[in-house]
Amino acid sequence: MSKCAVLILPLPPSINYYWRANGNRRFICEAGKRFRADVWAIAKSANIESFGTKRLFMTVTLHFRDKRKSDIDNRIKALWDALQHAGIYEDDEQIDILLATRGEIKKGGQCVVQIQEAHELQVI
C-alpha cells in the first residue's frame, strides 16, 4: 500500500492575483508569499514525507469563504506551486490525476488536500 498525505490548508489565493509584474519582472504577490509560507509550515509540522518524483493522484476540496462566484481552477496552480515549494514533490507535472471539488462554505476558507501515488489507480 502506498503512502497517503492529507493536509488541511488555508484557501489558496486565486491565480488571477497570485502573480504580479513590474516591467519585465514577474513576482509572487504578498498573499501568495504568505500562502506558500503557511503551506510550508503546515507540511513541516505534519512531518509530510516527500513523494520525490513519483507520479501522483491528488484530491482537493476547496471551502470558499462565502457564496460569491469563484472558479475552482483558479486556485489549483497556486496550491500546486506552494506544495512544490514545501517539498511535497519535485514538480507539479507529476500530478497525473486531479479531483477538485467545491466543499461547503467555511469562515475564512479552507483547502483539504490528499495526495498519494498514482501507480495503484486505474483510470478509464
Side-chain angles (χ1 to χ4, degrees):
M1 182 153 178
S2 65
K3 69 179 176 175
C4 178
V6 177
L7 291 164
I8 299 174
L9 304 170
L11 185 65
S14 171
I15 201 68
N16 293 338
Y17 306 105
Y18 188 76
W19 291 104
R20 292 284 178 240
N22 184 358
N24 291 332
R25 185 176 158 259
R26 287 179 29 114
F27 57 93
I28 298 172
C29 71
E30 285 305 313
K33 289 177 185 177
R34 275 193 310 277
F35 179 71
R36 279 172 52 144
D38 289 346
V39 170
W40 186 89
I42 291 166
K44 295 309 171 202
S45 69
N47 293 318
I48 302 293
E49 201 174 306
S50 176
F51 286 90
T53 60
K54 294 178 177 152
R55 308 309 302 174
L56 302 174
F57 167 61
M58 182 183 292
T59 63
V60 177
T61 303
L62 295 168
H63 299 277
F64 291 99
R65 295 176 183 95
D66 53 40
K67 293 182 179 183
R68 284 182 282 179
K69 290 183 178 182
S70 278
D71 293 342
I72 290 173
D73 64 323
N74 282 353
R75 309 292 176 135
I76 298 298
K77 186 61 178 162
L79 171 66
W80 283 3
D81 286 348
L83 291 169
Q84 180 178 330
H85 178 74
I88 302 299
Y89 44 75
E90 299 232 350
D91 193 295
D92 57 25
E93 73 80 28
Q94 295 167 235
I95 301 164
D96 289 339
I97 305 165
L98 170 66
L99 173 62
T101 59
R102 184 184 310 269
E104 69 274 5
I105 292 169
K106 291 195 177 186
K107 185 176 181 175
Q110 187 180 73
C111 176
V112 180
V113 180
Q114 179 176 321
I115 307 167
Q116 65 190 66
E117 293 177 39
H119 68 82
E120 294 182 358
L121 301 170
Q122 182 177 8
V123 179
I124 53 173

